[in-house]
Amino acid sequence: MSLYAIGDLHLSFSSEKPMDIFGEQWERHYEKIEQSWKLTVSEDDTILIPGDISWAISLQEASKDLEWIHKLPGKKIFIKGNHDYWWTSLTKINGLYDNMMFIQNTFETYEDYAICGTRGWNCPGSYHFTQKDNKIYNREANRLKLSLEAAKKAGYDKIICMLHYPPTNEKFEPSLFTEVIKEHEVEQVIYGHLHGKDAYNIGLQGEFEGIHYKLTSCDYLDFKPLKIL
C-alpha cells in the first residue's frame, strides 16, 4: 500500500473550461492523468489531492468531476483549493463516496500517519500580498493548527501535511504555516497551485527546517502521480 499525490486536477466535465489556454501541455490533460493514474495507483493505495479539484461553482455541477475521480483506483484525500467554489459542508461532501475523504479543520489517516491540511493563502512578503490578505492568511494558519492538533490529540506523531498554496513567499521566508508545521513536527508537506516553468521556481522544495516540501501540481508532475511513501 503506497501513498501518492497529485494536485490541481482542474476538471470541468460539466462546464466549458479548456485548460489548454494555459499551454499545449494541458490539452486533454485529464486523459493523461487517467492513464498515468491507472498505471501507477492500485485500489489498495491512497492518493492526496491538494486542491483545485474542479472548476465547478456548485456541487451539482461538480458531480461529474467527482464521479470521474471516484472511479479511479485508490482512496483519495482532498483539501480545498482557491478555485473549489463547489465545496460545501464537510458532512455533505464526506458522505458522497466511500473512497473519497475531504479535510477541513480535521485529519484523515494513511496507515500509521495522520494526513492534515488546509487551503493556505498568499504569505506576507509575496508579490501579491496586500493588507486585505492578512485576515485570510491568519485564518488559514489557524485552520492548519486545528487540523494538526486534532491529529496529535488522537495520538498520531507521524504526520504529512497538505496545503494548496505554497507555504512561504517567493523569498522562502518563514511564515505562520512553516512555524505551525515545524511546531507539530510534520515529516512532509505537499502543495500545488503553481503552474508554468516561471512559477515552479517560486515554490519551496526540498528540506527546510528539517521538513521536506514537495510541489505536486499536476503539470509540474507531467500529470503523473508522485509517490510520497
Side-chain angles (χ1 to χ4, degrees), residues 10-18 54-57 61 64-65:
H10 286 294
L11 300 175
S12 59
F13 292 119
S14 295
S15 60
E16 289 295 325
K17 190 70 176 183
S54 168
W55 283 110
I57 59 173
E61 187 180 324
K64 288 185 179 179
D65 300 332

Side-chain angles (χ1 to χ4, degrees), residues 29-152:
H29 73 288
Y30 53 89
E31 293 180 354
K32 300 176 186 178
I33 294 170
E34 181 177 19
Q35 181 179 25
S36 58
W37 188 312
K38 287 181 176 179
L39 287 172
T40 305
V41 181
S42 75
E43 288 293 351
D44 293 328
D45 295 330
T46 297
I47 188 158
L48 309 180
I49 303 175
D52 278 5
I53 302 152
S54 168
W55 283 110
I57 59 173
S58 68
L59 185 57
Q60 181 179 359
E61 187 180 324
S63 61
K64 288 185 179 179
D65 300 332
L66 297 176
E67 183 69 23
W68 183 86
I69 300 170
H70 162 63
K71 290 178 180 178
L72 293 172
K75 171 184 174 182
K76 300 92 178 177
I77 303 177
F78 304 83
I79 57 167
K80 186 178 183 179
N82 60 304
H83 291 299
D84 290 317
Y85 300 114
W86 55 270
W87 187 292
T88 59
S89 74
L90 203 62
T91 301
K92 189 169 187 177
I93 57 179
N94 268 329
L96 293 174
Y97 302 103
D98 58 3
N99 66 347
M100 292 168 59
M101 293 79 182
F102 301 82
I103 294 174
Q104 189 167 308
N105 303 344
T106 55
F107 73 96
E108 290 293 338
T109 60
Y110 164 77
E111 296 188 347
D112 56 345
Y113 279 84
I115 308 297
C116 300
T118 191
R119 178 184 61 182
W121 199 248
N122 293 321
C123 295
S126 72
Y127 302 132
H128 305 294
F129 193 85
T130 68
Q131 192 60 37
K132 293 180 179 179
D133 290 308
N134 210 47
K135 181 178 179 181
I136 304 174
Y137 168 69
N138 281 281
R139 184 185 69 198
E140 286 296 314
N142 187 59
R143 284 180 170 173
L144 177 60
K145 187 176 181 180
L146 290 172
S147 176
L148 291 164
E149 286 179 346
K152 288 288 188 179

Side-chain angles (χ1 to χ4, degrees), residues 18 26 87 95 139 159 204 213 220:
W26 283 93
W87 187 292
R139 184 185 69 198
I159 299 175
L204 179 64
Y213 290 82
Y220 178 74

Side-chain angles (χ1 to χ4, degrees), residues 3-7 47-50 190 216 221 224-228:
L3 182 67
Y4 295 90
I6 186 169
I47 188 158
L48 309 180
I49 303 175
I190 67 160
T216 60
L221 299 180
K224 300 172 183 176
L226 175 69
K227 193 171 186 178
I228 302 298

